[in-house]
Amino acid sequence: MPKTIRNKFDKVLSYESLMEAHKKSRKGKGYRNEIIKFNLKQEEYIMWLYNELKNETYKHGGYKVFYVTEPKLRKIEKSRYVDRIVHRWLVDNFLEPTFVPTFVNTSFACLKDRGMHRAALYVQKCMKSALVKWGEYYILKMDVAKYFDSIDKNILFEILKRKIKDEKILWLIKEILFSQEREKGLEIGNYTSQMFGNIYLNEQDQFVKHNLHIKYYARYLDDSVIIVKTKQEAKRALKEITEFLEVNLNLKFNKKTQIFKGKQGVNFCGYKINEHRMKLRDKGKRKLKKKVRKLESKIFCGEITSKNARIFLAGHLGYIKYANVKNLLEKVFYIE
């Protein structure tokens, strides 16, 4: 993929590429009414969508708003299914192949083979290396305040324009990005928002790596970890990154941003990490125990089978297998 995109929109746009985006969008969600209805006339809908995009008459629809409480209270804005197909088509064909190769290899969120487990293991690897190299070291943990709500859409659009020179792709991005009148805040729930969020903070990644020349650095969405030899280095890095974010991205760090000695360990991606152990944070333990008790009750009442309960727990089990949780597993699952 070239450094910039030019004259790609019409070459990529086809009935087949939109159908592929539809198949990916519905995967694992085929039981939902909106997708069942779409599937009944999918050929007609896809052809209609093809013509709308080709003629640049496509208009992004509105959003259904709801709230989730896990892992914390969040406002979710859900777009129409047909819009979600367009999101997938845009990301898979243009945004991902163009921008992901430019990311630093220590940016982890929402990227293939770069999830939270790998992020946590990488931070632990950095801590081990720092311990051998320096003995005592310091950790700077940074957390952007209300990240998705604070993203400036105009700044994001200018960042995208550096690499995208195809006017039709820019038209589509603008239609999605500014479908609501507000100029700050990405819609949590859009497939595009994950990629936009990574592209936006890639600016911080590049600054840390190429301007500050910091070796031990990792970011998972809006959470970042820097490991340096001295407290003075950590303070200097925090000052320069804070100024960079405020001036270039209109972002600020929240009160959870702090500097501490490496021997204290670091909370990152749901784990309490030190050089030799990764433990689940107390919040994660409580969540797991609560889930198990709820499933036990449903099994007892005959609402679900043990096999289905294990499927519901699959995500939790995949998450905890990277941590040192032998005692927790014995206590929660009664392993003998």
Side-chain angles (χ1 to χ4, degrees), residues 85-130:
I85 294 173
V86 176
H87 299 168
R88 170 71 75 162
W89 183 78
L90 175 65
V91 171
D92 288 358
N93 290 287
F94 302 112
L95 299 182
E96 187 175 285
T98 302
F99 287 94
V100 171
T102 70
F103 291 171
V104 301
N105 59 11
T106 57
S107 169
F108 291 92
C110 308
L111 300 171
K112 186 179 179 181
D113 299 324
R114 286 199 251 171
M116 63 171 59
H117 306 129
R118 184 160 292 189
L121 290 169
Y122 176 76
V123 168
Q124 186 181 53
K125 179 182 176 181
C126 290
M127 294 169 74
K128 288 179 180 178
S129 180

Side-chain angles (χ1 to χ4, degrees), residues 233-248:
E233 288 179 78
K235 285 181 176 180
R236 185 166 60 250
L238 177 57
K239 180 178 181 295
E240 294 192 36
I241 297 168
T242 298
E243 291 175 355
F244 176 83
L245 289 190
E246 290 180 356
V247 172
N248 294 277

Side-chain angles (χ1 to χ4, degrees), residues 12-27 38-39 42-43 46-47 49 81 84-90 92-93 191:
V12 173
L13 179 62
S14 66
Y15 174 90
E16 291 75 17
S17 66
L18 289 170
M19 181 61 77
E20 180 65 21
H22 161 51
K23 290 177 180 178
K24 289 180 178 179
S25 298
R26 74 183 180 187
K27 190 174 182 180
F38 190 95
N39 285 337
Q42 63 180 11
E43 291 84 3
I46 293 296
M47 184 53 70
L49 185 55
Y81 180 66
R84 300 203 294 276
I85 294 173
V86 176
H87 299 168
R88 170 71 75 162
W89 183 78
L90 175 65
D92 288 358
N93 290 287
Y191 188 68

Side-chain angles (χ1 to χ4, degrees), residues 19 33 88 100 114 119 143 182 218 245 266 275 287-288:
M19 181 61 77
N33 287 334
R88 170 71 75 162
V100 171
R114 286 199 251 171
D143 193 341
R182 68 175 187 255
L245 289 190
V266 61
E275 297 95 349
K287 185 177 178 181
L288 175 63

